[in-house]
Amino acid sequence: GENVEQHPSTLSVQEGDSAVIKCTYSDSASNYFPWYKQELGKRPQLIIDIRSNVGEKKDQRIAVTLNKTAKHFSLHITETQPEDSAVYFCAATSDFGNEKLTFGTGTRLTIIP
Amino acid sequence: NAGVTQTPKFRILKIGQSMTLQCTQDMNHNYMYWYRQDPGMGLKLIYYSVGAGITDKGEVPNGYNVSRSTTEDFPLRLELAAPSQTSVYFCAYRGEEKLFFGSGTQLSVL
């Protein structure tokens, strides 16, 4: 089955700086890679996703890049703000359309004012 | 996101007790899922359903059962609660080609 590794487990950045979270996956057939943000005590919420036919996707301050050859994908947050503090999870699936996702173990991002 | 409703929000069980976690949606979504989230870990898929009358195992199904008699409801049953089932449980549905989670049920088995 799929295995997703996520690094780092914790990350602290100064407000206004950029944050990068990286994930690797094992199944070369994986074709869908979403990122979820989870604030303390809340549900995970989708913030951005990418499919395997695209190398990069942006949404305002958030971007995701995908390297299929190396089997890794990354989340980039620019101009970080205090409200970006949360736990971020990457995920992958080879069964897009079913969303039987395999999740990484999460990155706790802290934005330092 | 009011697409799916989970109850209860919190529950404490004694070892060996049973309970049902409820998950209801009223938007006619076919695909529904149960995930569990252990502290400091990602989410793991317990069971999923692609429509009424159809269910299948996920990554960690042992100790759980599900049913899908209607499109609206996808309850998760714990028959003999064990401490290893202490976790936060999220029901989810697939809409607009994306996965949306309910607000979760925090379960402690003591």
Side-chain angles (χ1 to χ4, degrees):
Chain A
E2 175 67 278
N3 183 50
V4 176
E5 294 189 357
Q6 183 172 347
H7 300 281
S9 57
T10 60
L11 179 61
S12 296
V13 301
Q14 290 291 140
E15 182 178 351
D17 288 350
S18 295
V20 181
I21 303 170
K22 300 181 179 180
C23 289
T24 60
Y25 60 98
S26 61
D27 187 350
S28 57
S30 286
N31 55 13
Y32 177 63
F33 309 91
W35 285 89
Y36 286 83
K37 175 184 181 182
Q38 187 176 30
E39 296 175 354
L40 188 63
K42 301 289 181 64
R43 76 192 78 191
Q45 293 196 303
L46 181 72
I47 56 171
I48 195 167
D49 57 4
I50 192 169
R51 300 187 196 183
S52 59
N53 59 347
V54 175
E56 183 176 2
K57 184 177 179 180
K58 288 184 179 181
D59 183 3
Q60 299 183 337
R61 298 186 295 108
I62 295 173
V64 57
T65 58
L66 172 64
N67 184 327
K68 288 188 295 182
T69 303
K71 290 191 284 187
H72 67 69
F73 56 113
S74 300
L75 178 71
H76 305 254
I77 306 174
T78 59
E79 301 173 15
T80 53
Q81 300 170 4
E83 54 264 37
D84 294 329
S85 293
V87 179
Y88 292 81
F89 293 96
C90 64
T93 181
S94 60
D95 192 8
F96 175 67
N98 196 337
E99 272 66 61
K100 289 165 58 182
L101 297 171
T102 299
F103 282 83
T105 51
T107 296
R108 181 174 299 279
L109 175 63
T110 301
I111 307 303
I112 304 167
Chain B
N1 186 325
V4 62
T5 301
Q6 280 187 248
T7 56
K9 292 190 182 302
F10 304 95
R11 185 72 184 268
I12 298 175
L13 282 182
K14 294 182 179 179
I15 295 171
Q17 287 186 319
S18 62
M19 78 163 293
T20 300
L21 282 68
Q22 301 291 346
C23 177
T24 300
Q25 53 100 358
D26 60 0
M27 299 178 70
N28 215 32
H29 298 295
N30 283 320
Y31 291 76
M32 296 186 73
Y33 310 80
W34 276 104
Y35 282 87
R36 61 176 285 174
Q37 183 177 31
D38 298 329
M41 301 295 289
L43 294 95
K44 293 189 183 295
L45 182 63
I46 306 171
Y47 271 94
Y48 68 99
S49 170
V50 300
I54 306 170
T55 62
D56 208 348
K57 296 178 180 179
E59 186 180 355
V60 290
N62 292 342
Y64 307 95
N65 278 301
V66 294
S67 59
R68 189 87 183 276
S69 56
T70 66
T71 301
E72 292 77 19
D73 299 307
F74 189 40
L76 177 71
R77 179 82 177 163
L78 284 71
E79 291 294 349
L80 290 170
S84 61
Q85 294 178 304
T86 294
S87 190
V88 180
Y89 292 83
F90 288 99
C91 179
Y93 69 91
R94 180 174 181 264
E96 301 170 2
E97 297 187 341
K98 301 178 192 302
L99 195 65
F100 296 93
F101 288 91
S103 56
T105 295
Q106 187 170 326
L107 176 66
S108 295
V109 182
L110 305 176

